[in-house]
Amino acid sequence: MKDSMIRGADIVVRSLIAEQAEIIFGYPGGAIMPVYDALYDYHEQIKHVLTRHEQGAIHAAQGYARVSGKVGVCLATSGPGATNLITGLADSQIDSTPLVCITGQVAAHLLGTDAFQETDVVGISMPGTKWNIQVRSVEEIAPAIAKGFYIARSGRPGPVLIDITKNAQVDFGEFNYVPCMGFRSYKTHHIIDQSVISQAAKLINEAERPYVLFGQGVVLGKAEAELKFFLDKSGIPAACTLLGSGALSEDHPNYVGKLGMHGNYAPNLLTNQCDVLIAVGMRFDDRVTGDLKRYAKQAKVIHLELDAAEINKNVKANVAIHGDCKESLSMLTEAIDPKSHTEWMGKFRELEQMEKEAVMQHDITPTKLGLTMGEVINQINQYKADDAVLVTDVGQHQMIAWRYFNYKKTRTQVTSGGLGTMGFALPAALGAQLYDYSRQVICVVGDGGIQMTIQEFGTIMQTKAPVKIVLLNNNFLGMVRQWQQMFFDRRYSFTELDNPDFIKIAEAYNIRSQKVTERSGLTEAIEDMLIHDGPFFLEVVVEKEDNVFPMIATGCSVEEVRLS
């Protein structure tokens, strides 16, 4: 045997180090044990975080990736370990989160025999991954990892799964890592046609009521500055999607609010009054469009999009600009005339004032005795740092936190958007915090979602990650309850929760805790939480039947947005 020959498991770890992976989130088991044995020798070069569940590992990797802009990495064993990653893979696929997930598999000669903990994870994960592969020999390991990282981070990012048989991990081979720089049939850069830019610029220059909708593609394309320059020159009102939040500071004079089912009143209503709709890095999700048959039919649509599959998928574009929005926005900014749209912007501000009086005043300065979710988030705004990261779970608290959190910096919004995964927030916040211990990471959860991954308190305890966890507790599955109230005659079928003593649970994990039931104690508790040097769990008991408005009901048009 040559001196340069090493185990496949060592090739796995050295390949990750070659890709500058900093942290691996994972959980050991029989089929991945050789890789864990190899990790023992590389602990100074790469950090491993032992989560308490594989779903926790992949959500933590997502949180890390979303805040850092790097590829998240997680490890799991075969069978149930691998299948526990599936929800996170599907979540990452729809939200364009770059991940490389490595799973162990039974030895190649046992494949197809129903061996202990054998599962066809490649077949199961195929719809939820950008690319996946099963590696059966030691020679395939390094090329598969190199290709996996390239696919995960390039173009429209997404998750990759590499399933490695146990024999490949224990056999010996030469380590010669060659980073992947591209391969046939996979094109990530598209040359933008100047004539298409000219067509779009003509529509924009002639428009009286132009309107920009921007999404996460701006963040993924690192085009935040280009978006700002475009808006500064064009004077066009701009609204964001859920995952686009933070791409433009909410202090920008052209920013008019948030789109979608529980977005702001003006951005939704005026979608059907604009004459030119400019969509930048967003996919016209159904939560943004409502009834497609009645969506922006009066407008000429310009769509700036990297993924060709998203162009004309839901909304037909009059001008489609296929390419990187960092490049296309720069070209478009150069081609348009400088303008202001004072009268058109005024309509947004008038409707914004209506929403403040009808909804926001109740949410953030309530007259009722009980605490509201909105006032909690508003109080957090008073004390948080400008670059604080908001990580939310899924439900009413998610929509309220999104509505009232003041986003000023990019990569400060981490949530499960397209899949809507309850249980996402706690491990995702851990991953975000472990990327940067010095940054405020504020995790806002509901009493339903937190119990789906509450075991990750153990990981927070072990890592001492200073995550600030805010539980908005209404003893309900709140979003489902709101729908039952509004559309099912208040028939609250299996949505009320008998909850445990969350404070005792947090304290059992050595996490400093506090519970607030009265308004008088809220401000001090938030201050204590944010200045505490370490993890902190704050439970706030809020109104049981507090609803989220505005709202566009399923099947309705965006112009049917309701304030109550």
Side-chain angles (χ1 to χ4, degrees):
M1 185 186 299
K2 294 182 182 179
D3 291 340
S4 59
M5 301 287 273
I6 60 173
R7 292 181 306 165
D10 291 278
I11 292 174
V12 171
V13 179
R14 288 197 189 183
S15 297
L16 294 175
I17 293 169
E19 287 291 347
Q20 299 182 326
E22 300 167 316
I23 302 178
I24 304 169
F25 301 92
Y27 203 96
I32 197 69
M33 204 175 297
V35 172
Y36 272 87
D37 181 65
L39 278 170
Y40 192 86
D41 295 323
Y42 297 93
H43 64 274
E44 292 183 358
Q45 294 165 269
I46 191 166
K47 180 178 180 179
H48 179 276
V49 175
L50 175 64
T51 59
R52 299 306 186 261
H53 192 283
E54 291 87 358
Q55 186 176 348
I58 193 167
H59 290 331
Q62 288 176 272
Y64 171 89
R66 294 272 284 274
V67 171
S68 68
K70 301 178 181 181
V71 178
V73 180
C74 67
L75 282 178
T77 193
S78 63
T83 59
N84 282 341
L85 299 179
I86 298 300
T87 297
L89 288 169
D91 194 288
S92 300
Q93 175 79 333
I94 200 165
D95 281 354
S96 305
T97 305
L99 296 183
V100 169
C101 301
I102 296 173
T103 54
Q105 183 57 273
V106 301
H109 74 277
L110 292 175
L111 290 170
T113 68
D114 293 331
F116 178 66
Q117 292 193 332
E118 179 196 356
T119 302
D120 180 12
V121 67
V122 172
I124 292 171
S125 66
M126 190 172 292
T129 51
K130 188 177 177 184
W131 182 68
N132 67 10
I133 188 173
Q134 187 172 82
V135 172
R136 302 185 183 188
S137 69
V138 65
E139 294 80 13
E140 300 171 24
I141 292 174
I145 292 175
K147 188 173 181 180
F149 269 86
Y150 178 73
I151 291 173
R153 68 163 67 98
S154 60
R156 180 178 178 176
V160 163
L161 182 133
I162 302 171
D163 191 46
I164 306 177
T165 59
K166 197 165 186 179
N167 60 285
Q169 297 174 51
V170 299
D171 287 346
F172 283 78
E174 290 189 74
F175 178 66
N176 180 26
Y177 196 80
V178 180
C180 181
M181 304 303 290
F183 54 93
R184 191 177 65 180
S185 80
Y186 179 60
K187 188 177 179 182
T188 61
H189 183 262
H190 306 275
I191 297 172
I192 298 169
D193 187 346
Q194 183 61 53
S195 67
V196 177
I197 295 292
S198 299
Q199 292 173 41
K202 185 174 186 296
L203 286 178
I204 293 168
N205 289 336
E206 294 174 353
E208 294 181 2
R209 298 179 308 282
Y211 185 20
V212 169
L213 315 181
F214 64 91
Q216 189 187 202
V218 175
V219 177
L220 297 175
K222 300 178 181 177
E224 297 91 343
E226 286 74 15
L227 174 65
K228 181 180 181 297
F229 295 150
F230 175 78
L231 295 174
D232 288 344
K233 184 176 182 180
S234 68
I236 300 174
C240 70
T241 66
L242 174 64
L243 296 186
S245 301
L248 181 72
S249 171
E250 294 188 1
D251 295 337
H252 192 281
N254 295 44
Y255 178 78
V256 294
K258 301 173 173 73
L259 298 159
M261 178 175 282
H262 291 291
N264 294 116
Y265 189 56
N268 283 307
L269 188 66
L270 294 180
T271 299
N272 278 11
Q273 294 183 32
C274 67
D275 56 4
V276 173
L277 188 68
I278 306 146
V280 185
M282 53 89 73
R283 59 188 179 86
F284 291 110
D285 176 73
D286 63 291
R287 288 293 173 105
V288 166
T289 64
D291 182 7
L292 278 169
K293 295 177 182 177
R294 294 180 284 167
Y295 182 78
K297 293 303 179 184
Q298 79 294 338
K300 300 289 186 184
V301 176
I302 301 168
H303 195 179
L304 286 68
E305 176 58 50
L306 179 65
D307 186 353
E310 297 295 350
I311 296 174
N312 297 323
K313 184 177 81 173
N314 294 327
V315 174
K316 184 170 176 54
N318 298 89
V319 180
I321 304 176
H322 181 209
D324 188 329
C325 64
K326 187 177 182 69
E327 184 180 355
S328 57
L329 273 172
S330 293
M331 294 171 70
L332 198 53
T333 302
E334 192 172 331
I336 61 172
D337 299 331
K339 281 193 174 184
S340 62
H341 295 276
T342 308
E343 186 177 342
W344 172 230
M345 185 72 77
K347 290 190 175 183
F348 284 89
R349 300 308 179 201
E350 287 174 17
L351 294 172
E352 183 181 281
Q353 188 59 37
M354 286 178 57
E355 182 180 347
K356 283 181 179 177
E357 293 172 3
V359 179
M360 295 180 180
Q361 186 172 308
H362 154 76
D363 282 348
I364 62 178
T365 55
T367 55
K368 61 172 64 176
L369 184 63
L371 286 158
T372 65
M373 294 178 283
E375 67 179 308
V376 178
I377 305 303
N378 186 56
Q379 282 295 307
I380 288 171
N381 276 333
Q382 311 309 312
Y383 299 97
K384 74 176 182 66
D386 282 352
D387 67 345
V389 178
L390 174 69
V391 185
T392 54
D393 215 78
V394 173
Q396 283 184 315
H397 71 275
Q398 175 192 35
M399 293 293 98
I400 286 287
W402 174 52
R403 282 176 52 77
Y404 293 112
F405 193 83
N406 188 1
Y407 297 94
K408 293 186 178 182
K409 303 285 185 180
T410 191
R411 294 195 179 273
T412 53
Q413 161 74 325
V414 179
T415 196
S416 173
L419 196 64
T421 303
M422 291 178 70
F424 172 87
L426 194 62
L430 168 72
Q433 187 73 81
L434 291 179
Y435 169 65
D436 186 351
Y437 271 81
S438 67
R439 199 167 171 188
Q440 282 181 351
V441 175
I442 302 167
C443 173
V444 179
V445 291
D447 48 311
I450 193 172
Q451 294 185 78
M452 293 190 173
T453 51
I454 200 167
Q455 72 281 345
E456 299 310 327
F457 275 168
T459 317
I460 292 170
M461 176 181 67
Q462 189 163 353
T463 60
K464 298 179 173 58
V467 181
K468 314 307 181 191
I469 306 153
V470 181
L471 168 62
L472 300 180
N473 187 356
N474 57 11
N475 290 101
F476 263 115
L477 299 176
M479 188 61 83
V480 183
R481 184 212 53 76
Q482 178 170 337
W483 280 60
Q484 289 173 336
Q485 177 183 336
M486 296 176 67
F487 308 117
F488 292 88
D489 299 322
R490 290 182 179 266
R491 290 160 59 88
Y492 295 158
S493 180
F494 302 104
T495 46
E496 190 163 10
L497 296 170
D498 288 336
N499 285 321
D501 187 330
F502 290 109
I503 298 296
K504 286 183 178 178
I505 294 173
E507 288 176 347
Y509 286 99
N510 295 325
I511 298 173
R512 185 172 170 183
S513 307
Q514 191 169 345
K515 183 172 183 176
V516 174
T517 59
E518 303 289 339
R519 185 165 289 114
S520 59
L522 180 62
T523 299
E524 184 179 353
I526 288 171
E527 284 188 89
D528 289 346
M529 174 182 73
L530 293 179
I531 65 173
H532 177 63
D533 184 20
F536 195 106
F537 177 77
L538 175 62
E539 178 183 0
V540 184
V541 178
V542 295
E543 285 280 335
K544 293 191 72 167
E545 292 189 297
D546 199 15
N547 289 333
V548 187
F549 288 103
M551 180 178 182
I552 303 169
T554 301
C556 289
S557 164
V558 289
E559 61 189 352
E560 294 175 299
V561 56
R562 299 168 52 171
L563 287 172
S564 62

